[in-house]
């Protein structure tokens, strides 16, 4: 195994709270997080050089302990749809001060869109199956 991608994509708080007695709120969340780190540590021990792609519900799992084990190759769910170049720029400005590697998604083959999303890498979701799509576009130069 070379890459393990972990996508969370739920809001677990209600599940965690309903599992705990009123005087023990938070214990299920603590145990979940401890298990999460233990799983990733074991994967990395069994597969030296493993990359863990931390895709986690719109970037809600970009914390120091997680970042010691993974890279956020899909930093935010704002990348799930086109039209967020301004958000991409703000996230890049903020996160690049702390994270050496992260990526986002560009939805259109336009220089402004690509440059707004590009960081240490860029993910693209161009509509290349559309008959009208062409990579030979002057705005990419």
């Amino acid at each position: 195994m070379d890459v393990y991608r972990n996508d969370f994509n739920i809001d677990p708080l209600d599940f965690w709270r309903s599992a705990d007695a009123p005087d023990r709120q938070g214990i299920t969340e603590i145990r979940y997080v401890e298990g999460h780190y233990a799983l990733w540590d074991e994967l990395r021990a069994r597969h030296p050089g493993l990359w863990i792609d931390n895709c986690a519900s719109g970037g809600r799992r970009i914390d120091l302990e997680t970042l010691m084990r993974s890279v956020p190759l899909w930093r935010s769910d704002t990348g799930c749809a086109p039209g967020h170049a301004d958000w991409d720029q703000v996230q890049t400005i903020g996160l690049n001060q702390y994270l050496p590697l992260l990526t986002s998604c560009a939805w259109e083959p336009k220089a402004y869109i690509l440059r707004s999303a590009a960081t240490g890498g860029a993910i693209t979701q161009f509509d290349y199956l559309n008959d009208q799509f062409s990579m030979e576009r002057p705005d990419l130069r």
Side-chain angles (χ1 to χ4, degrees):
M1 179 169 23
D2 298 317
V3 177
Y4 171 76
R5 184 165 198 253
N6 197 114
D7 193 350
F8 199 46
N9 218 20
I10 66 165
D11 186 358
L13 190 58
D14 289 339
F15 297 104
W16 291 335
R17 286 187 176 164
S18 67
D20 295 338
D23 62 338
R24 299 284 291 164
Q25 288 295 301
I27 197 69
T28 299
E29 179 179 2
I30 290 167
R31 296 296 179 251
Y32 169 83
V33 171
E34 290 173 339
H36 169 75
Y37 294 151
L39 170 69
W40 283 13
D41 290 343
E42 185 64 24
L43 284 171
R44 292 175 65 226
R46 291 184 187 197
H47 305 278
L50 176 70
W51 273 64
I52 298 177
D53 172 6
N54 175 27
C55 176
S57 287
R60 290 187 280 180
R61 191 185 287 150
I62 300 179
D63 61 80
L64 292 176
E65 283 292 323
T66 298
L67 292 171
M68 291 172 54
R69 298 163 171 87
S70 67
V71 292
L73 295 180
W74 192 273
R75 69 178 177 212
S76 172
D77 281 352
T78 59
C80 291
H84 303 292
D86 53 342
W87 295 2
D88 287 334
Q89 293 171 27
V90 170
Q91 290 172 9
T92 297
I93 289 168
L95 289 173
N96 276 344
Q97 297 179 58
Y98 306 100
L99 304 178
L101 179 63
L102 59 117
T103 61
S104 188
C105 182
W107 285 79
E108 299 174 65
K110 295 180 179 176
Y112 180 77
I113 303 297
L114 286 163
R115 290 176 185 148
S116 295
T119 52
I123 300 165
T124 60
Q125 293 202 21
F126 300 156
D127 191 12
Y128 62 87
L129 295 177
N130 184 328
D131 291 338
Q132 304 300 313
F133 181 81
S134 172
M135 281 298 289
E136 300 298 324
R137 303 206 24 178
D139 57 351
L140 283 176
R141 295 186 193 116

